[in-house]
Amino acid sequence: MRLAPRALCSAAGAAWRESFPLGGHDVARWFPGHMAKGLKKMQSSLKLVDCIVEVHDARIPLSGRNPLFQETLGIKPHLLVLNKMDLADLKEKQKIIRHLEREGLKNVIFTNCIKDENIKQNVEFCIMVIGVPNVGKSSLINSLRRQHLRKGKATRVGSEPGITRAVMSKIQVSERPLMFLLDTPGVLAPRIESVETGLKLALCGTVLDHLVGEETLADYLLYTLNRHQLFGYVQHYGLGEACDDVAGVLKRVAIKLGKTQKVKVLTGTGNVNVIQPNYSAAARDFLRAFRSGLLGPVMLDRDVLQSFPPTDPSQAPGPRDM
């Protein structure tokens, strides 16, 4: 379904929320505190590897990366792979690159699939793959195996964080050159810099949804989409018009998808069964649609990018896409 021109103009001119209420959220409770053990195991394995590949979500290229990676593992060459680029709005890619270069990262790749570069050398490499949870580290390793070895997956992959629990043994991904990768568990920063950064990380699936609250995440997603005039959710769910009230949106999504539940209500004449929308189920579907790209490409860090002046295309080097 396409938005009618009148509805699109009305949505674009609407007064959307300019801020999201961040008070009352204890971001420290969202993220597990046992990850320091994983980082120590990575450090002990450094002598085995030639370089570090850090995988991060391209929808939050400037938020949520663990600064301890650079501090504790920085003695090895470092490549940043911004994965899931098909889900990200990358119109301002050069701004992202310039910001990362200011942080000292010179080697950045945007990727969604891995291409065979036909490198043929008689040497052996070992590379450690690191990153916060659920950004696609295991998927990257399995994709490389399929491309170069024509073999199936060697590491478990899932849509929830925490699938990889320990630093694994070497996984071969290529014959020529002979290349092995070390998969590692996702490790978040000991302290998340802000509640909003925590919400962005949670939207990208770095923690289990119920720890933050599915309806809270759905509300923050709706706020972000409307603020940046990304109305793909209206078309996807056939809502007719955009709305900034999460309860109203989830109610219509639940009815549209048939996600309702019977609830007994006590009245003066006795118990009455009432059909009510299942808001939690609607919120889960809303989040699933976003994460699978059904609502269109989204850049959650657009607010950060807007604080930088425009980039001169003639001076900024282009990142390598894979």
Side-chain angles (χ1 to χ4, degrees):
M1 169 186 174
R2 288 183 172 273
L3 279 177
R6 182 178 298 177
L8 186 58
C9 292
S10 174
W16 306 113
R17 289 176 285 177
E18 291 296 324
S19 62
F20 188 83
L22 301 174
H25 297 292
D26 184 7
V27 70
R29 295 181 56 196
W30 299 350
F31 301 97
H34 64 271
M35 296 184 176
K37 183 178 179 181
L39 190 61
K40 288 182 179 178
K41 287 187 176 180
M42 293 181 205
Q43 286 179 282
S44 65
S45 301
L46 272 181
K47 60 181 178 294
L48 303 175
V49 304
D50 298 287
C51 75
I52 302 292
V53 173
E54 178 184 354
V55 184
H56 199 64
D57 197 305
R59 293 168 293 184
I60 47 171
L62 309 179
S63 297
R65 291 178 51 238
N66 191 339
L68 293 181
F69 288 151
Q70 193 69 19
E71 294 174 17
T72 60
L73 308 177
I75 61 174
K76 297 287 185 176
H78 194 117
L79 171 66
L80 176 62
V81 174
L82 292 172
N83 197 23
K84 307 182 183 181
M85 65 179 291
D86 59 321
L87 303 179
D89 181 353
L90 297 175
K91 294 186 183 72
E92 298 186 276
K93 187 186 292 186
Q94 298 300 337
K95 277 189 178 182
I96 298 171
I97 292 299
R98 185 170 61 170
H99 182 86
L100 293 171
E101 284 180 343
R102 287 177 178 173
E103 295 182 356
L105 277 168
K106 302 298 183 183
N107 300 306
V108 181
I109 291 176
F110 289 83
T111 185
N112 187 54
C113 60
I114 308 302
K115 295 179 181 177
D116 188 351
E117 298 296 333
N118 295 319
I119 303 172
K120 300 184 184 299
Q121 300 177 19
N122 189 25
V123 291
E124 177 181 329
F125 298 101
C126 185
I127 299 170
M128 182 183 291
V129 181
I130 64 173
V132 300
N134 207 26
V135 291
K137 298 182 295 296
S138 297
S139 296
L140 175 68
I141 291 175
N142 292 332
S143 180
L144 285 167
R145 281 176 61 83
R146 285 192 298 270
Q147 288 287 335
H148 296 277
L149 296 179
R150 304 292 188 267
K151 291 185 178 180
K153 62 183 182 181
T155 63
R156 291 180 60 202
V157 177
S159 59
E160 294 185 348
I163 294 297
T164 304
R165 294 288 184 177
V167 178
M168 300 178 64
S169 58
K170 294 195 299 185
I171 302 168
Q172 185 178 355
V173 295
S174 176
E175 287 281 1
R176 301 182 64 182
L178 187 56
M179 185 178 296
F180 298 88
L181 298 187
L182 284 177
D183 196 11
T184 62
V187 177
L188 288 157
R191 295 189 56 168
I192 304 302
E193 58 191 73
S194 68
V195 173
E196 189 153 21
T197 296
L199 286 167
K200 291 178 182 179
L201 283 165
L203 267 186
C204 291
T206 61
V207 293
L208 298 174
D209 290 343
H210 73 269
L211 296 176
V212 182
E214 291 152 342
E215 293 178 41
T216 297
L217 282 176
D219 192 20
Y220 181 70
L221 175 59
L222 180 66
Y223 156 75
T224 301
L225 295 174
N226 285 336
R227 187 182 179 198
H228 299 314
Q229 298 188 14
L230 301 172
F231 303 119
Y233 72 93
V234 179
Q235 299 179 30
H236 177 68
Y237 289 110
L239 302 183
E241 61 181 2
C243 177
D244 212 20
D245 174 45
V246 71
V249 170
L250 293 182
K251 180 179 180 179
R252 285 187 281 173
V253 168
I255 294 173
K256 188 82 176 179
L257 301 177
K259 295 183 180 296
T260 56
Q261 53 191 355
K262 287 184 179 180
V263 178
K264 285 187 177 181
V265 178
L266 181 62
T267 68
T269 58
N271 290 335
V272 177
N273 288 327
V274 177
I275 302 297
Q276 289 188 349
N278 188 332
Y279 290 95
S280 296
R284 285 193 293 272
D285 195 87
F286 192 34
L287 295 172
R288 178 199 59 78
F290 160 71
R291 289 167 180 161
S292 58
L294 296 176
L295 307 185
V298 178
M299 173 53 63
L300 296 175
D301 273 344
R302 186 180 290 188
D303 53 338
V304 182
L305 290 171
Q306 287 175 344
S307 65
F308 290 92
T311 301
D312 181 355
S314 64
Q315 295 181 358
R320 180 183 173 193
D321 292 342
M322 296 183 71

